[in-house]
């Protein structure tokens, strides 16, 4: 292995381009380890891939892993989901923030490093990517206004749970209307008095043509929105009151449909906690 890291280039790169704290982009990836590979997959991701394949990369400024035990998987809906078939598929979710304005820079690095990791035998192939997409930030709606935490803190703050919601419009124009309805009407009303402190809204972007072949191209680039609800309570404690019926509310708006509502709790980094409760 060469010791040449071209470190002289780092000083040049650090002096140019955006370097704010706003999460302008995200990587949201929901994965299903193949049966019998749950422990090995979790150890690979916790010990190696979370760092070498994500957090060590330039402009990836925050990350968090989440898990859906079997009881959480069974809360998901709708039963016929365009995202997961069956809807219980995808027991691990990883979420990462990328600095605004640095998407292209990050993508160049991530494609190259994942090719290198694959070549070096550091990619775990006994898994299925259920939903993996880089996304652009569209909006964040807060329950408590300026009281915080802000969205840049969301993956570091000790939230007790997260709900992943995917909604889809029929056309790109309708998606713009759906986004405005979510941002100005639906989400503020739904957040009020709830255990959810904020909702971040993203729209998916196409994966590059030279992506790894085991990750399928993103669907719904022009019509989908991805919502992350950050909860201060275990989702099981508030599911019936706060998260059932979101599909009916969106349908009543006439602006789109819900393709997935899925609750998660945070993993305990460095451990196999919850791995024995996935099936």
């Amino acid at each position: 292995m060469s010791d040449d890291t071209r470190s002289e280039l780092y000083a040049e790169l650090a002096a140019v381009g955006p370097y704010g704290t706003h999460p302008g982009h995200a990587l949201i990836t929901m994965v299903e380890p193949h049966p019998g590979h749950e422990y090995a997959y979790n150890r690979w991701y916790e010990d190696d891939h979370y760092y070498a394949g994500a957090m060590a990369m330039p402009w990836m400024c925050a990350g968090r892993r989440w898990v859906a035990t079997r009881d959480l998987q069974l809360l998901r809906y709708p039963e016929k989901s365009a995202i997961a078939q069956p809807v219980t598929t995808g027991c691990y979710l990883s979420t990462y923030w990328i600095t605004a304005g640095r998407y292209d820079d990050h993508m160049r690095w991530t494609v190259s490093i994942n090719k290198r990791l694959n070549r070096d035998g550091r990619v775990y192939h006994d898994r299925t990517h259920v939903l993996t997409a880089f996304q652009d930030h569209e909006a964040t709606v807060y329950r408590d206004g300026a009281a915080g935490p802000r969205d840049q803190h969301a993956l570091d703050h000790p939230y007790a749970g997260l709900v992943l919601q995917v909604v889809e419009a029929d056309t790109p124009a309708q998606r713009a209307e759906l986004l405005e309805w979510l941002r100005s009407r639906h989400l503020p009303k739904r957040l009020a008095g709830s255990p959810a402190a904020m909702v971040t809204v993203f729209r998916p972007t196409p994966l590059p043509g030279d992506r790894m072949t085991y990750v399928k191209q993103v669907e719904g680039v022009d019509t989908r929105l991805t919502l992350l609800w950050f909860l201060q309570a275990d989702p099981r404690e508030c599911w019936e009151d706060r998260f059932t019926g979101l599909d009916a509310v969106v349908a009543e708006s006439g602006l789109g449909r819900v393709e997935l509502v899925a609750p998660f709790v945070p993993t305990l980094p460095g451990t196999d906690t919850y791995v024995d409760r996935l099936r």
Side-chain angles (χ1 to χ4, degrees), residues 3-255:
D3 291 330
D4 178 18
T5 61
R6 305 184 188 180
S7 57
E8 68 279 0
L9 296 178
Y10 285 76
E12 296 180 26
L13 294 174
V16 297
Y19 68 122
T21 60
H22 178 63
H25 320 276
L27 169 60
I28 300 171
T29 174
M30 187 168 68
V31 172
E32 178 76 6
H34 294 172
H37 291 265
E38 295 85 358
Y39 280 92
Y41 167 78
N42 187 58
R43 287 273 46 86
W44 165 75
Y45 206 105
E46 287 280 306
D47 298 342
D48 190 6
H49 197 63
Y50 178 82
Y51 301 102
M55 294 305 298
M57 295 193 207
W59 307 114
M60 186 163 268
C61 51
R64 192 94 182 258
R65 287 188 78 211
W66 313 83
V67 61
T69 51
R70 187 61 181 172
D71 59 330
L72 289 168
Q73 296 166 30
L74 293 173
L75 295 176
R76 295 179 182 179
Y77 64 92
E79 184 179 354
K80 294 183 178 180
S81 167
I83 307 300
Q85 302 90 28
V87 72
T88 52
T89 307
C91 53
Y92 281 107
L93 178 73
S94 296
T95 52
Y96 301 97
W97 289 169
I98 299 166
T99 302
R102 289 295 191 170
Y103 176 79
D104 291 340
D105 300 333
H106 176 79
M107 287 305 299
R108 288 187 176 185
W109 190 287
T110 192
V111 169
S112 295
I113 200 65
N114 277 286
K115 287 181 177 179
R116 183 181 181 187
L117 290 168
N118 193 54
R119 184 184 67 237
D120 293 346
R122 288 174 63 181
V123 171
Y124 201 94
H125 290 288
D126 289 300
R127 57 174 172 155
T128 298
H129 281 265
V130 180
L131 172 68
T132 294
F134 285 88
Q135 314 229 6
D136 287 342
H137 180 261
E138 285 284 5
T140 299
V141 182
Y142 296 101
R143 181 192 62 201
D144 302 325
R150 316 313 295 161
D151 51 12
Q152 64 260 44
H153 309 128
L155 302 184
D156 296 308
H157 187 80
Y159 285 112
L162 177 140
V163 174
L164 168 70
Q165 181 183 7
V166 179
V167 296
E168 185 146 10
D170 290 328
T171 65
Q174 190 183 55
R175 182 176 71 175
E177 294 180 61
L178 176 61
L179 173 62
E180 183 54 34
W181 175 78
L182 288 168
R183 177 167 41 197
S184 62
R185 297 177 59 190
H186 173 64
L187 294 179
K189 180 179 178 181
R190 204 83 182 188
L191 283 170
S194 83
M198 74 176 82
V199 181
T200 57
V201 185
F202 294 88
R203 57 177 173 84
T205 61
L207 288 170
D210 55 353
R211 71 189 186 280
M212 300 307 295
T213 55
Y214 51 79
V215 182
K216 65 181 180 180
Q217 186 54 272
V218 178
E219 299 173 348
V221 167
D222 296 322
T223 51
R224 281 184 186 166
L225 293 170
T226 307
L227 287 69
L228 300 177
W229 300 70
F230 291 91
L231 310 183
Q232 294 172 317
D234 188 303
R236 284 163 287 217
E237 298 174 5
C238 56
W239 193 255
E240 288 295 327
D241 292 339
R242 295 290 177 172
F243 289 99
T244 57
L246 290 178
D247 50 348
V249 176
V250 173
E252 287 170 8
S253 75
L255 297 173

